[in-house]
Structures are given as C-alpha cells and as structure tokens.
Amino acid sequence: MPVVVAAHPKSEYCGTEFKGRKIIKYRTNELVSNSDLVIIHSSNSISYAMLANKPTIFITTNGLNSIKNFNLRIKNLARTFNKKAYNIDQDSFDKYDFSCVESNCRKEYIYTYLTSTETDKIKNIDILDSFFKSV
C-alpha cells in the first residue's frame, strides 16, 4: 500500500525526508477521505479521519519520544479514541490495530469538538447567515 504524507501547511520538506514517499500539502482532507487507513501522530487533522470514519493508528518513534511532552501528547490523543500509540521503532507490526475508532468514541469527539446534534445537518452558510441576522 503506498503511503502519502499529508504535510503540515507550514512545513518545508525537500522531498527526501520520508524515504521517497509522496509529500502533499494543502490537501489533507482529500487525502484522508480517499485513504484506506490514516497513520497519525499528533495533529488536528485527526478530525478528518473521524469525520470520514477511517481506520486510524497512532504512531510515535524513539525520536519523537525524546521531545519533552510530545510522547505524552500522542498517547493522550490515542487514549481519547480508546486506541494505543505504537512506537514504530520498537513495536511489532503484527500487533498494530488497524481498526476504525469505536462509534461511540468517534461520535463523542465529533459532537464535543466539531459540531452539535442541533447543527450537524445545517450548512455553514446557513448557520452564519442566521447568526449575522441575529446581531
């Protein structure tokens, strides 16, 4: 399975950082929507994976673990979704859980951080229009 890196918009990669894997900026939502699996460390783009209901694994490395509090941040994000963060430098690949996030966890995240049950079927333009008319 090819791996495509959805690069952070402020990143400045030269193209060799990920062993020749394709690096694409500004298309994270599209890349996640069209993916079979999302591999993530710590990123707000987790929202795209939850909205698209994609199988998701959280990863870390020995290098990332050496950054103060970053390892804890990754583990806490994984725990939010009842998942484990795998250290790809140490953990055996055959033990990775490539499943989707449990439905109740996914919905709790979506309705806590991204939308509400009252507005999830309403277009943003209609929400904004209503707001501006009320002020």
Side-chain angles (χ1 to χ4, degrees):
M1 178 183 304
V3 174
V4 177
V5 176
H8 189 280
K10 292 184 180 179
S11 65
E12 294 184 17
Y13 297 118
C14 64
T16 59
E17 293 84 356
F18 298 101
K19 298 183 179 182
R21 292 180 175 100
K22 187 183 274 189
I23 301 169
I24 300 175
K25 290 170 67 168
Y26 313 116
R27 291 180 36 208
T28 302
N29 186 23
E30 176 186 345
L31 292 169
V32 170
S33 282
N34 293 319
S35 71
D36 294 317
L37 167 71
V38 175
I39 303 168
I40 195 163
H41 47 82
S42 177
S43 171
N44 288 332
S45 64
I46 186 65
S47 297
Y48 297 129
M50 293 305 106
L51 289 169
N53 197 23
K54 294 294 179 170
T56 304
I57 63 167
F58 296 85
I59 63 163
T60 187
T61 65
N62 291 338
L64 289 174
N65 289 347
S66 69
I67 302 169
K68 186 177 180 173
N69 295 326
F70 199 71
N71 181 41
L72 182 62
R73 198 168 151 196
I74 294 168
K75 285 183 177 180
N76 284 337
L77 184 61
R79 207 174 295 125
T80 298
F81 298 101
N82 288 331
K83 296 287 227 165
K84 178 183 179 199
Y86 298 97
N87 183 328
I88 61 173
D89 291 328
Q90 296 177 357
D91 294 331
S92 176
F93 184 76
D94 61 332
K95 294 185 180 178
Y96 288 18
D97 174 15
F98 293 102
S99 64
C100 290
V101 169
E102 296 168 2
S103 180
N104 60 330
C105 273
R106 184 178 157 268
K107 286 179 182 175
E108 183 177 346
Y109 175 82
I110 289 170
Y111 291 119
T112 300
Y113 296 102
L114 304 178
T115 190
S116 68
T117 53
E118 294 81 24
T119 62
D120 70 345
K121 302 279 190 233
I122 302 172
K123 293 178 183 176
N124 287 346
I125 188 68
D126 295 331
I127 293 169
L128 290 171
D129 184 53
S130 175
F131 171 76
F132 288 125
K133 284 179 180 174
S134 73
V135 290

